[in-house]
Amino acid sequence: TCHVGGGVWRVKWNSADPRLLAVARMHNKFGVLVYDHSTGSFDDEQLCDIQGTHSSLGYGIDWQYPSAAARATGVSRRGGSHVLATASFYDSLVQVWNYRSKSIII
């Protein structure tokens, strides 16, 4: 169990880093949870909030999946497995993020 501060609308596991779960929280924007496989639980202290300029319900979230070439070489552009997109409902806003730096790319 992990309290994320709002109703959860979407969740997406990161296929490149199975500890990371991206969460679209309706009334609390977006976040990334860190799952500890050894204990079978989420660490509330490691919840990363992502707010940006979204002004309405947190609705969609997904990770960037590296191309086949990037996977083969271990290299990907703009942060690879740590890049995700978020979408809010009423304002129809989509933003692309680097999870590690909590910075907006687009």
Side-chain angles (χ1 to χ4, degrees):
T1 303
C2 183
H3 297 281
V4 295
V8 174
W9 189 255
R10 296 269 192 277
V11 296
K12 286 289 189 165
W13 286 103
N14 184 318
S15 63
D17 186 343
R19 299 171 307 125
L20 302 179
L21 180 66
V23 182
R25 304 171 292 180
M26 291 187 295
H27 298 288
N28 201 18
K29 308 298 188 245
F30 306 92
V32 176
L33 299 168
V34 178
Y35 185 73
D36 185 340
H37 289 275
S38 66
T39 64
S41 63
F42 290 98
D43 184 349
D44 287 345
E45 299 300 316
Q46 291 190 37
L47 173 65
C48 171
D49 287 319
I50 300 172
Q51 302 294 328
T53 58
H54 292 285
S55 62
S56 70
L57 298 176
Y59 185 72
I61 195 161
D62 204 350
W63 296 97
Q64 172 187 343
Y65 296 97
S67 68
R71 287 191 304 272
T73 61
V75 176
S76 61
R77 298 176 59 188
R78 293 193 176 192
S81 65
H82 293 99
V83 172
L84 54 96
T86 57
S88 47
F89 190 72
Y90 295 113
D91 60 4
S92 302
L93 181 65
V94 173
Q95 292 185 309
V96 179
W97 299 84
N98 182 309
Y99 156 70
R100 283 189 173 163
S101 66
K102 298 182 189 177
S103 60
I104 299 172
I105 297 170
I106 299 173

